Amino acid sequence: MSLFLIAALPFLGAVFPALLIRAGRNACSSAAGAVTLLALVGVLLHAPEVFRGETVTARAPWLPQLGMNANFFMDGLGFFFATMILGIGLLIIIYARHYLSREDPMGNFYTYLLLFQGAMVGIVLSDNILLLVVFWELTSLSSFLLIGYWRHLPAGRQGARMALAVTGGGGLALIGGMLLLGHAAGSYDLTTILERKDQIQASPLYVPALILILLGCFTKSAQFPFHFWLPHAMAAPTPVSAYLHSATMVKAGLFLMARLWPVLSGTDIWFYIVASIGMITMVLGAVIALFKDDLKALLAFSTVSHLGLITLLLGLGTEEAAMAAVFHIMNHATFKAALFMTAGIVDHEAHTRDIKRLGGLRVLMPVTFVLATVASLSMAGIPPLNGFLSKELMLDAAAHTIWNGSEWLFPVLATVGALFSAAYSFRYVVHTFLGPVRDDYPHKPHDPGIGMWLSPAILVLLVVAIGLFPEALAGEIVRTVTDAVIGGHGHYHELKIWHGVNTALIMSGIATVGGLILLALHRPLDVAWLAAPRPEAKVIFDACIGALIRAARAVTDTLHDGALSRYAAIFTLFTVGLGVYAFSTGEIGEATRPMNRIEVLPLIVWFCLIGATACVVAFHRYRVIALVIMAIIGLVVTLGFNYFSAPDLALTQLSVEVVTIILLLLALNFMPKRTPIESSPGRRLRDAVLSIGAGVGVGLLLYAILTRDFAFPSISEYHLANSYKGGGGHNVVNVILVDFRGFDTFGEIIVLGIAAVVIFALTEAILRTSVRAKLLNRKPDWPVAGDSHPLMMVVVTRLMMPVALMVAAYIFFRGHNEPGGGFIAGLIAAIAIVMQYMASGFSWAAARQHFPYHGIIGSGVLVAAVTGMGAWLNDKPFLTSDYGYIHIPGLEKFEWATAALFDVGVFLAVVGAVLLALESLSRYAWRPNTDSPYPMDINPARDDPRGGRED
Amino acid sequence: MSHWIILPIVLPALLAPFILMVIRHHLDLQRIFSVAGTVALLGIATGLLAHAATGDITVYELGDWPAPFGIVLVLDRLSGLMVFLTAVLALAVLLYAIWTGWDDRGRHFHALFQFQLMGVLGAFLTGDAFNLFVFFEVLLIASYGLMIHSGGAHRLHAGVQYVAYNLIGSTLFLFALGTIYAVTGTLNMADLAVKVAEMPAEDTALIRVAAVLLLLVFSVKAAVLPLHFWLPGSYGNAPGPVAALFAIMTKVGVYSVLRMYTLVFGPQVEATQGLASNWLIYAALLTVAAGTIGVLGSRRMMRMAAFGTIGSTGTLMVAVSLFTQDTAAAAIYYMIHSTFAAGLMFLVADLVVERQGDSIRPYQPMPHGGTISVLFFAAAIAVAGMPPLSGFVGKLLVLDAARDSAQAVLVWSVILITSFCAILGFARAGSLVFWKSHDDNEPDSEEIADAEVPPDPRAVKLPVAPPRLPFVPAFALLGVLVLLTVFAGPVMTYTGKTAEQLYNPQTYIDTVLKGTGS
């Protein structure tokens, strides 16, 4: 079976349990089991090749630019792990079918389990270290789901988050490490990397890569000081614990250390880090395990301890130690999975896992007792079980290790570890199963059905069989795997029980006897242990994470507290700073333009401008006054445009001023007349300094610009030359607006239209709330004028209307050659209509106005767009204009450009936008069915097909 | 004469006024036309992408005026890609808005939506600096309208901040353009590239100021620290689908930096040396940090998604601000990812908000909770940049491309450590909202503070069964992310060639100024 298929099967199969759960729990579990079995068979089919020492490969490009490819290979190590993952996975699936209760969503469980299984298989079969990282992080994510499976348990959620934080975080370090390793090796392909030991170890990247990779491995394999997550992951259902902590998740770290052993090991730094951490973890885990009362917690710390043992062996860097590591990985997987399952059985039957509430189960659960005892004794290292064999190998390796000149340190520590290990193994059996039968179990226990004890039984069979016939059953595979680990052919001793009386046997004997003594002394020791102060990992972890979250909140909430003035202050400061930096690091050329002579009249107007601006600052809390002064500023700017020979701009500015002031006055009608003081004097000082600084900066920039010529000929020369020739108009400004850069104008009228539509939508949104009622019922803070529609004003505005419209038309038509155009004309026409609304009231004016404003805006944009598209018929680009001359008898011949049609669009959009904005603002004051005293009342429902009903 | 290139702008520009003028009172018709228009847009965008993929640069001279005197639209690999991204995201978001009924909670959603598309697409296609400003205005005002769609005090308040802050940015844009024109006498980007490269060495101060102001304007749009302050409030309070659409808006800023700082102010240009390379990378790294810290520190779903967007865009800016061809290729890949991942995250957040409210706190089991939690899990994986989705691939590409830069160690540390923050934040939020049921009295030790978070008053009380159809666009976005992961190789080939085109701008310049493409 192709390796692609093997790796993909669990992922593809993960769909089935989730779907088939509707067909029943048996269908669900069978599907999961079948998928796993199929993948397992696929792996086993490759056994002959693997035992011949060949590697099976499957390669496909994925992201060759990065060197990340879907390359898989299977050698002895991969085969060994894949078999273990899938084999034990199958047993777990059988076990879980009977373990989970009816309330547990079994479909989810098997889906998560298969996802996790796929990720594990992916790790061990990857031939590309980046692909390996992908699967690595996938195990973190899927184990998060598995550990948190019982979502109603706080312990489950916290354990899941803790596991994800530690292993996922370690995975991030691993990403960095793998990228460095790949760079040092010049390839991300494992098979290539494994051949480049010297190149990698000579690289300056070796040490950082090693440390980052080991961080990944140690977090995953729960090595000190990252061991704390593993016991908390025990909140998961027992099948999950049995799977994750015997054969899979925690072994991933060991796998990676074994996989990279040929290139990373053999240096001092490897030895001192890996072997020392392994030793510490082994001893520490074993000591803590002895004092745990929860069966699963005891097993969890024993797992930590055994993982430390294997890490220690890998860290020693010798062939014998590597072989011992491989052998112990196999043995640990068998007895530990069996032990977890027996713990699960006890929990399932007695409804407690607390060792102090148990005892005497030997009589009540004989089958479970036998299974647990055999597995425990193997864990304790008692012959003739498989745990004894690999523990002997470990003790032998430790006995020959010199650590920093000390010959006795490692042997002693190893013996201590083994001693505690024996003690907790004995305790697991003695305190749970031996002793008198009690009558206070939470639930009367008895042996479960075969479905639950079959899986551990198979494993226990293996424990015994491998123990009795190690060479026949495991010798070949252990040597093949070890060859793969060390990347060559090693010379190994045969696996056998009896090596004669040697150091290891003596150490083993000490450990066993010592273990029994410790167990006998357990009660006083336990009291002392519980009384002694010891750091509680979870408390520390929670405190750290809690502090992190609080800090993150504090930083986030302080920085983003919604104070616009501070945001703007930072913006200004940053901009000015960078602007000054940019300016000062460049060279400024000489001023090339002479200064204009300063004349008296403009000087006076200039002082008006300055004075008015200062007044806005001084009076900005009085909104109406500020608005009036702003109108003055607008007028001065208009004069300025005119003075500097820009009549088009002057006209535009003037009409824009009129319209905006009217709209703003209308808006002010609904607002308080004064702005309250909101900021402290210090903050106002800060703002003053910043804004003066920014203003001075802009002023200096403008001065520099105005006193210098273009560095290159400007495009405006072309515009001047081609305005009439190409655009058919003498007014270059207008030709630029409707022709050269008509597309900009097209965008801008859309902006205007959108603005009006947004005002309308906003008004609708606000009118649905209680705001309107508040507005209507508020007491005006100024006296209201008695006469809403003064007769004089009504008469004058009605007389003015045709004149104003005429002016608009005039401005429009002359636009292409003289100052004017659609934009200005639109504003003037809008003003003509607005005057009617102001003078005669909205009801009167609206009743005489038959075009909905939305439609006017829309038609304006459409006319402009369709004019632009007209050029397509001529096979010219959008907005290409044409012009010609029209002769009408009695009139002088005149010129007609398509750009004028475009200008009509501009005109309509402007008129519509202004009026829609006006209407929207007026609606705040509108009252249904009453003659409004306000000048700008309107029935908003007048173009609503649903009629005049208020919503 | 091919007019295809302008269709992405003209189509929504016709559709929106048509909706306003003719069918503004008929929501069903608006929906039909809006969806049909967006589907057509996607078709056009696909065609344009296919054309751009040939490596051809197409120039469209508006009004038939030759560059640099008129305005040109330019289609190259980058703009083609961006138009395509926009169209895909827009269709998903539009369908979501329709199926959740969001478009019915205020006025003129569809018209504003089309105008928004026009603004975004115009910004991607234009080859003229001032025209870019115009489209920035279009998309700003339309986005403001969309942002405050359906109203509400929080939303209006945030909307004021949004529009005020961005108007300051627009003012700065005008200053920059004025200075640029005053110095070079031109506004066409290709022409600017020629002129800026020829700037005399003794007269660079003004163009430098203009260049840096322009960069600041784009940084505002891309929400680079310390110019990002507008984003959390506005995205966090916008309607869910609108925020999802806004995922493309930060990319407008990033796109503009990529465009202007390769074409006009490229790394080889003497006059503007050291303007972007000195600070932008650090600002981008701080942005990543601020974003992920925000994810960890958020109390509300939408706000968390907003900070996720900041972090994601920050990572993108890190890659952009290293200013090499390799990092640009990685950046463009990450840009695709970031757009869809952020879009998805906002849709998922909205699904939760619609059912339970915005606060990150334990709830009673919600309708469709299982499906939503799957989506949330996937979106969180994508935004945090974990395997197996494209965020991880993108992050690897960025890390790999940053390897040779002087700041490599810093970039690696920041990106890896902040990923950890994001994982923590999302895991925490997800397990609280989806796992912890309300009647569970035993508080998690680190979650005690959450008891203080009051229920969200804005929670919409839904009728009995919320619709299922909104899941379709959400899963579609997830599907896009999966495709982006599976076909990372071919996509990276495209982005690699895109970066190559960007960093060898001579063809672009020649094509625009000689108008050979039209």
Side-chain angles (χ1 to χ4, degrees):
Chain A
M1 194 185 289
S2 159
L3 293 186
F4 289 133
L5 191 57
I6 295 174
L9 258 177
F11 291 109
L12 299 176
V15 184
F16 292 113
L19 294 177
L20 286 177
I21 185 64
R22 298 182 185 203
R25 305 202 303 161
N26 284 329
C28 177
S29 56
S30 310
V35 167
T36 309
L37 185 63
L38 195 58
L40 181 62
V41 169
V43 171
L44 291 177
L45 285 179
H46 290 298
E49 297 152 85
V50 171
F51 280 108
R52 281 199 301 273
E54 295 168 13
T55 46
V56 188
T57 58
R59 311 171 72 82
W62 178 14
L63 184 51
Q65 292 92 336
L66 180 65
M68 176 159 70
N69 292 310
N71 294 347
F72 293 94
F73 83 126
M74 183 157 75
D75 62 351
L77 187 62
F79 172 80
F80 170 60
F81 266 90
T83 311
M84 199 162 69
I85 293 161
L86 293 167
I88 295 188
L90 195 58
L91 298 178
I92 296 287
I93 287 171
I94 297 170
Y95 176 79
R97 163 65 188 85
H98 301 277
Y99 180 86
L100 293 177
S101 72
R102 289 194 174 279
E103 288 80 49
D104 296 320
M106 188 181 270
N108 291 1
F109 180 84
Y110 281 120
T111 298
Y112 299 160
L113 194 76
L114 286 181
L115 286 177
F116 176 78
Q117 182 177 288
M120 279 306 302
V121 172
I123 289 182
V124 300
L125 295 186
S126 290
D127 185 17
N128 184 286
I129 52 175
L130 296 180
L131 186 69
L132 190 148
V133 172
V134 170
F135 287 117
W136 183 278
E137 290 291 59
L138 270 181
T139 60
S140 301
L141 291 169
S142 47
S143 67
F144 174 75
L145 296 174
L146 280 172
I147 297 169
Y149 175 72
W150 277 333
R151 51 188 58 179
H152 53 279
L153 296 180
R157 293 192 300 273
Q158 291 166 16
R161 284 206 299 264
M162 186 191 275
L164 181 66
V166 176
T167 64
L172 293 170
L174 185 69
I175 294 174
M178 288 303 203
L179 282 171
L180 291 180
L181 178 68
H183 195 53
S187 166
Y188 289 119
D189 277 348
L190 251 176
T191 28
T192 316
I193 292 173
L194 291 179
E195 288 161 3
R196 298 192 179 160
K197 174 180 181 173
D198 297 335
Q199 182 184 339
I200 290 167
Q201 297 200 348
S203 158
L205 295 177
Y206 169 69
V207 174
L210 176 68
I211 290 174
L212 288 172
I213 291 173
L214 286 180
L215 262 177
C217 295
F218 288 173
T219 48
K220 201 73 154 184
S221 287
Q223 295 299 296
F224 178 82
F226 306 109
H227 61 285
F228 57 87
W229 70 264
L230 196 150
H232 291 287
M234 290 300 144
T238 301
V240 173
S241 313
Y243 197 35
L244 262 59
H245 305 136
S246 64
T248 53
M249 174 100 159
V250 293
K251 293 277 168 69
L254 302 178
F255 167 80
L256 189 58
M257 282 191 272
R259 182 84 277 176
L260 295 175
W261 196 89
V263 286
L264 294 183
S265 75
T267 56
D268 276 355
I269 181 167
W270 167 274
F271 169 74
Y272 280 108
I273 294 180
V274 179
S276 314
I277 293 286
M279 183 58 97
I280 295 172
T281 313
M282 177 171 91
V283 177
L284 192 74
V287 173
I288 299 176
L290 182 58
F291 299 104
K292 285 292 167 189
D293 290 334
D294 179 356
L295 286 180
K296 279 175 76 180
L298 186 155
L299 292 178
F301 277 103
S302 82
T303 304
V304 170
S305 171
H306 280 270
L307 293 170
L309 188 161
I310 299 167
T311 305
L312 162 70
L313 288 171
L314 289 170
L316 294 180
T318 62
E319 291 174 2
E320 293 79 20
M323 186 181 80
V326 169
F327 194 31
H328 198 67
I329 287 174
M330 177 195 284
N331 297 337
H332 178 250
T334 51
F335 67 68
K336 190 52 64 68
L339 279 171
F340 268 116
M341 288 193 241
T342 58
I345 292 173
V346 170
D347 187 18
H348 196 260
E349 298 302 325
H351 290 197
T352 182
R353 299 195 307 249
D354 189 340
I355 240 173
K356 287 185 173 151
R357 300 185 65 184
L358 294 167
L361 296 183
R362 171 178 55 92
V363 185
L364 299 168
M365 308 173 73
V367 177
T368 315
F369 166 63
V370 171
L371 296 177
T373 307
V374 176
S376 283
L377 293 180
S378 177
M379 177 159 78
I382 304 297
L385 302 168
N386 62 0
F388 168 73
L389 301 172
S390 44
K391 185 169 279 187
E392 286 294 280
L393 292 175
M394 182 277 286
L395 291 171
D396 188 55
H400 295 103
T401 303
I402 301 169
W403 192 89
N404 198 18
S406 163
E407 285 183 23
W408 55 269
L409 183 73
F410 262 42
V412 169
L413 283 177
T415 312
V416 170
L419 192 151
F420 275 91
S421 178
Y424 65 67
S425 305
F426 296 149
R427 182 170 180 238
Y428 183 82
V429 176
V430 173
H431 286 185
T432 313
F433 293 96
L434 301 184
V437 174
R438 301 165 65 148
D439 49 12
D440 61 344
Y441 306 115
H443 184 263
K444 181 79 176 167
H446 56 79
D447 264 326
I450 185 169
M452 271 183 93
W453 60 258
L454 177 66
S455 295
I458 292 171
L459 290 168
V460 165
L461 210 62
L462 278 174
V463 166
V464 179
I466 295 174
L468 291 176
F469 313 105
E471 184 55 34
L473 285 173
E476 186 64 27
I477 183 160
V478 167
R479 278 188 292 275
T480 311
V481 174
T482 312
D483 280 347
V485 170
I486 63 175
H489 286 290
H491 305 284
Y492 317 105
H493 301 295
E494 267 191 15
L495 298 176
K496 53 185 180 182
I497 293 188
W498 183 249
H499 292 272
V501 179
N502 55 14
T503 329
L505 191 68
I506 295 167
M507 289 158 80
S508 201
I510 296 172
T512 312
V513 176
L516 286 170
I517 296 170
L518 269 187
L519 183 66
L521 296 175
H522 185 263
R523 179 152 300 182
L525 285 175
D526 194 39
V527 172
W529 174 266
L530 290 176
R534 56 190 189 282
E536 190 60 57
K538 174 146 183 359
V539 177
I540 300 171
F541 178 82
D542 284 352
C544 287
I545 297 290
L548 197 59
I549 290 172
R550 272 189 295 279
R553 279 202 179 150
V555 169
T556 308
D557 291 348
T558 316
L559 273 181
H560 311 91
D561 61 351
L564 182 60
S565 62
R566 189 168 48 82
Y567 296 172
I570 294 172
F571 182 114
T572 314
L573 191 66
F574 196 61
T575 307
V576 172
L578 271 182
V580 169
Y581 163 77
F583 188 85
S584 59
T585 47
E587 299 284 330
I588 182 82
E590 288 293 309
T592 50
R593 284 182 180 175
M595 298 289 280
N596 284 359
R597 215 161 55 79
I598 299 174
E599 290 176 39
V600 180
L601 199 61
L603 194 65
I604 294 171
V605 177
W606 184 78
F607 272 114
C608 281
L609 183 67
I610 302 293
T613 311
C615 284
V616 173
V617 176
F619 297 111
H620 75 277
R621 299 199 185 283
Y622 306 87
R623 301 188 185 204
V624 177
I625 295 178
L627 186 61
V628 170
I629 305 171
M630 267 154 66
I632 296 174
I633 296 175
L635 280 178
V636 174
V637 172
T638 310
L639 288 176
F641 283 145
N642 205 35
Y643 179 72
F644 292 113
S645 330
D648 280 282
L649 290 186
L651 271 174
T652 313
Q653 179 72 25
L654 191 64
S655 41
V656 166
E657 279 295 323
V658 173
V659 169
T660 44
I661 297 291
I662 291 175
L663 288 179
L664 279 172
L665 274 173
L666 194 50
L668 281 189
N669 197 24
F670 308 112
M671 294 167 92
K673 295 293 169 268
R674 291 192 188 181
T675 314
I677 298 176
E678 283 172 327
S679 42
S680 62
R683 182 167 296 173
R684 271 177 284 158
L685 183 68
R686 174 199 77 182
D687 293 346
V689 169
L690 277 176
S691 43
I692 290 174
V696 168
V698 173
L700 289 175
L701 180 65
L702 283 178
Y703 178 79
I705 289 172
L706 290 176
T707 50
R708 278 157 189 83
D709 282 312
F710 292 115
F712 306 97
S714 148
I715 53 170
S716 58
E717 290 167 16
Y718 177 90
H719 292 156
L720 285 170
N722 286 283
S723 169
Y724 186 72
K725 207 164 57 186
H730 290 292
N731 178 3
V732 188
V733 175
N734 185 267
V735 176
I736 289 177
L737 281 179
V738 298
D739 202 337
F740 289 121
R741 302 192 67 93
F743 198 53
D744 280 344
T745 311
F746 184 59
E748 289 297 352
I749 60 171
I750 285 177
V751 171
L752 205 57
I754 300 172
V757 170
V758 169
I759 294 175
F760 175 81
L762 182 57
T763 306
E764 286 269 335
I766 292 176
L767 285 180
R768 280 187 306 178
T769 65
S770 56
V771 173
R772 184 158 168 275
K774 280 182 198 155
L775 279 176
L776 290 178
N777 292 316
R778 98 202 133 104
K779 275 211 174 92
D781 40 7
W782 283 358
V784 178
D787 191 356
S788 307
H789 309 305
L791 187 63
M792 288 296 287
M793 192 166 165
V794 171
V795 172
V796 170
T797 51
R798 288 187 195 175
L799 279 176
M800 289 278 286
M801 170 105 175
V803 180
L805 289 180
M806 204 58 215
V807 171
Y810 170 69
I811 292 279
F812 179 85
F813 283 115
R814 74 178 210 152
H816 220 43
N817 294 315
E818 306 277 334
F823 192 85
I824 305 168
L827 287 170
I828 294 174
I831 293 167
I833 300 168
V834 168
M835 283 194 305
Q836 309 311 312
Y837 284 102
M838 285 171 72
S840 310
F842 221 118
S843 308
W844 184 90
R848 284 149 187 83
Q849 202 291 116
H850 304 292
F851 304 102
Y853 304 129
H854 285 96
I856 300 179
I857 298 175
S859 64
V861 177
L862 279 180
V863 165
V866 170
T867 309
M869 282 156 53
W872 292 352
L873 301 176
N874 231 353
D875 204 23
K876 293 282 186 194
F878 192 68
L879 286 177
T880 306
S881 70
D882 198 3
Y883 64 93
Y885 296 90
I886 297 180
H887 295 272
I888 297 178
L891 289 177
E892 227 176 297
K893 81 162 187 183
F894 63 93
E895 182 196 274
W896 176 255
T898 56
L901 203 56
F902 179 78
D903 230 7
V904 171
V906 176
F907 174 86
L908 288 173
V910 170
V911 172
V914 170
L915 292 180
L916 184 60
L918 187 81
E919 164 180 327
S920 303
L921 287 173
S922 308
R923 291 182 46 191
Y924 289 103
W926 179 75
R927 287 170 198 259
N929 307 323
T930 50
D931 193 12
S932 166
Y934 299 100
M936 299 257 179
D937 49 345
I938 180 185
N939 179 355
R942 80 195 138 74
D943 68 282
D944 188 334
R946 290 171 297 188
R949 136 183 96 80
E950 186 192 12
D951 31 0
Chain B
M1 182 80 244
S2 156
H3 303 291
W4 285 104
I5 173 172
I6 198 175
L7 280 184
I9 303 171
V10 169
L11 179 68
L14 284 175
L15 200 52
F18 173 77
I19 291 174
L20 276 182
M21 202 172 146
V22 184
I23 53 178
R24 68 180 172 282
H25 296 301
H26 308 279
L27 188 63
D28 290 343
L29 285 178
Q30 290 179 34
R31 288 175 168 176
I32 290 168
F33 274 88
S34 200
V35 170
T38 313
V39 168
L41 185 67
L42 183 57
I44 295 165
T46 313
L48 291 181
L49 181 67
H51 183 76
T54 60
D56 249 14
I57 295 178
T58 317
V59 177
Y60 189 81
E61 294 178 331
L62 286 151
D64 213 16
W65 296 106
F69 308 109
I71 296 170
V72 291
L73 302 182
V74 185
L75 176 75
D76 65 350
R77 287 178 192 276
L78 183 59
S79 51
L81 177 67
M82 298 311 293
V83 168
F84 181 71
L85 288 190
T86 313
V88 174
L89 182 69
L91 187 58
V93 167
L94 183 63
L95 290 175
Y96 181 88
I98 291 174
W99 283 332
T100 47
W102 258 112
D103 59 344
D104 194 23
R105 295 184 198 165
R107 296 299 298 271
H108 298 321
F109 180 86
H110 293 285
L112 291 171
F113 189 88
Q114 294 297 330
F115 276 134
Q116 169 83 67
L117 288 186
M118 179 213 165
V120 172
L121 296 171
F124 289 143
L125 282 171
T126 187
D128 187 278
F130 189 83
N131 198 233
L132 183 66
F133 168 77
V134 172
F135 281 114
F136 265 52
E137 292 304 289
V138 174
L139 68 87
L140 170 62
I141 193 77
S143 65
Y144 173 61
L146 286 174
M147 211 215 105
I148 57 173
H149 177 74
S150 98
H154 288 279
R155 199 165 283 152
L156 293 180
H157 181 80
V160 170
Q161 297 216 337
Y162 170 70
V163 80
Y165 200 90
N166 277 281
L167 280 177
I168 304 179
S170 296
T171 314
L172 206 59
F173 203 162
L174 270 189
F175 289 167
L177 287 176
T179 313
I180 284 179
Y181 183 73
V183 174
T184 61
T186 188
L187 288 167
N188 178 287
M189 292 182 193
D191 198 29
L192 272 175
V194 176
K195 299 280 164 62
V196 171
E198 289 170 3
M199 281 302 286
E202 67 278 3
D203 194 12
T204 56
L206 289 178
I207 195 70
R208 286 175 71 81
V209 173
V212 92
L213 292 188
L214 214 48
L215 187 58
L216 285 167
V217 174
F218 300 149
S219 302
V220 171
K221 275 277 177 287
V224 174
L225 206 82
L227 310 173
H228 71 293
F229 290 106
W230 59 273
L231 195 145
S234 47
Y235 283 34
N237 286 295
V242 171
L245 179 69
F246 285 4
I248 197 72
M249 291 244 296
T250 45
K251 309 304 179 291
V252 176
V254 178
Y255 163 85
S256 306
V257 173
L258 259 180
R259 174 67 76 202
M260 293 299 272
Y261 272 77
T262 53
L263 178 62
V264 181
F265 309 116
Q268 76 287 349
V269 176
E270 282 298 318
T272 51
Q273 277 303 310
L275 285 183
S277 48
N278 283 350
W279 64 275
L280 195 57
I281 175 76
Y282 302 106
L285 287 169
L286 282 175
T287 312
V288 182
T292 47
I293 289 173
V295 167
L296 189 57
S298 291
R299 295 157 206 259
R300 300 196 294 106
M301 288 295 281
M302 286 292 286
R303 198 168 158 88
M304 185 175 70
F307 277 110
T309 308
I310 293 181
S312 178
T313 315
T315 310
L316 173 54
M317 279 308 286
V318 168
V320 169
S321 61
L322 291 168
F323 291 112
T324 66
Q325 189 176 318
D326 286 347
T327 54
I332 296 164
Y333 181 90
Y334 199 82
M335 176 134 69
I336 307 173
H337 156 77
S338 170
T339 306
F340 294 122
L344 176 62
M345 195 64 186
F346 277 115
L347 291 191
V348 177
D350 187 63
L351 286 171
V352 177
V353 174
E354 289 278 284
R355 282 161 178 78
Q356 303 284 26
D358 203 1
S359 305
I360 297 176
R361 62 179 185 85
Y363 290 109
Q364 300 284 4
M366 63 181 94
H368 312 141
T371 318
I372 299 176
S373 65
V374 169
L375 276 172
F376 178 82
F377 193 61
I381 287 174
V383 174
M386 295 274 284
L389 289 177
S390 46
F392 178 71
V393 179
K395 215 163 248 187
L396 277 188
L397 285 167
V398 171
L399 292 178
D400 188 61
R403 193 199 296 280
D404 298 326
S405 80
Q407 293 90 358
V409 176
L410 191 63
V411 170
W412 281 40
S413 326
V414 169
I415 288 188
L416 290 175
I417 292 171
T418 54
S419 301
F420 180 66
C421 265
I423 294 171
L424 280 185
F426 284 125
R428 190 173 165 285
S431 61
L432 272 178
V433 171
F434 297 109
W435 279 1
K436 192 173 156 81
S437 59
H438 191 58
D439 49 11
D440 174 10
N441 293 321
E442 195 177 341
D444 288 16
S445 44
E446 75 205 49
E447 290 163 7
I448 295 171
D450 298 313
E452 301 152 15
V453 181
D456 188 359
R458 288 178 299 155
V460 186
K461 287 282 164 270
L462 285 182
V464 217
R468 278 176 182 279
L469 274 174
F471 287 106
V472 175
F475 274 104
L477 284 185
L478 179 57
V480 172
L481 289 177
V482 171
L483 290 180
L484 185 61
T485 316
V486 174
F487 296 105
V491 173
M492 201 49 201
T493 309
Y494 184 90
T495 66
K497 286 182 182 165
T498 309
E500 194 187 335
Q501 206 174 44
L502 280 177
Y503 275 85
N504 298 288
Q506 201 52 48
T507 323
Y508 181 106
I509 295 169
D510 293 344
T511 315
V512 171
L513 292 185
K514 284 172 193 143
T516 47
S518 57

